[in-house]
Amino acid sequence: EEAFAERNRREFTANVSHELKTPLQSIMGGAELIENGLVKQEDMPRFVGHIRTEAARLVTLIEDIIRLSRLDEGVRGEVTPVDLTALIQHCVQKLTPAAQNAQVSISASGNDPVLISGDHALLEEMLTNLLENGIKYNHAGGYIRARAEMADGRAVVTVADNGVGIAPEDQQRVFERFYRVDKSRSKQTGGTGLGLSIVKHGAQVHHAQIAMQSALGEGTTITLTFPAQSSGKK
Ligand code: ADP
């Protein structure tokens, strides 16, 4: 088991190095062309824009890596009562511009509070990642629907989309670090390949179960089921 963990760490380090190198090389390439006067004045905004996009990608990637390594180290955030219905509404609002941009509809349903005790920042990150995936791996005219509800005394969060879907053989693997089904699509939409591994890790922290239902070309539904809260009412 120790050897397994060690191999995982080494693999992760190698992957991180590779993921950092690609955007950096692209930034250097662009800057060199400008430096050597090889970029026409009218092409300048495109080149500089590309450099900025790649730099922004690096920032997002590093933020995700820091988040995962904190989780790996067992650093725990503050645990407070969290209303998942309100949190979903907040995340949906936050992502509405991105959804509009991609021409997909995003909505939250349910008004009843669904309370758990948890790490608010981590839960927000998990929901954001799931909703963002619903936007990114979708088609114009598609939807993302999210809700929280109580079922058998447990809080259940559902994020459903009718986007591209995930083939059965990839459904487990997408939770691995840096695993992407369609690398070019993920890169194009600014994906780091770490979103679902943060969701998985966050679910473990909250002792929540993850279930995925997906079919290629039909869409994906991810469900998080939290344990019954001992202090809550039955
Ligand atoms: P990324 O940053 O690439 O989105 P994730 O860890 O969030 O990384 O997801 C891993 C891969 O799983 C994605 O690259 C994509 O291929 C696939 N995926 C994730 N969510 C969805 C979804 N809702 N619909 C279809 N494919 C998805």
Side-chain angles (χ1 to χ4, degrees), residues 68-97:
L68 265 176
S69 84
R70 287 219 186 99
L71 285 168
D72 281 344
E73 280 171 31
V75 177
R76 293 288 171 260
E78 203 191 342
V79 173
T80 61
V82 178
D83 175 6
L84 293 170
T85 298
L87 184 57
I88 286 174
Q89 281 165 357
H90 167 76
C91 292
V92 163
Q93 242 167 41
K94 184 174 74 177
L95 293 173
T96 297

Side-chain angles (χ1 to χ4, degrees), residues 20 55-71 125 192 194 198:
L20 291 173
R57 181 196 301 287
L58 279 170
V59 171
T60 310
L61 176 60
I62 289 165
E63 281 168 353
D64 277 356
I65 292 167
I66 290 172
R67 230 167 251 131
L68 265 176
S69 84
R70 287 219 186 99
L71 285 168
E125 173 74 19
T192 62
L194 294 176
I198 293 172

Side-chain angles (χ1 to χ4, degrees), residues 64 129-130 133-138 161 163-166 170 173-176 178-183 185-187 189-198 212 214 219-220 222:
D64 277 356
N129 290 349
L130 290 174
N133 283 348
I135 298 172
K136 291 190 299 189
Y137 306 106
N138 215 321
D161 67 63
V164 302
I166 303 169
D170 290 317
R173 301 212 65 194
V174 289
F175 291 96
E176 292 172 16
F178 295 122
Y179 187 83
R180 303 162 172 110
V181 178
D182 180 346
K183 210 154 179 144
R185 184 172 187 138
S186 168
K187 291 248 155 109
T189 54
T192 62
L194 294 176
L196 285 180
S197 34
I198 293 172
M212 171 186 279
S214 189
T220 304
I222 293 185

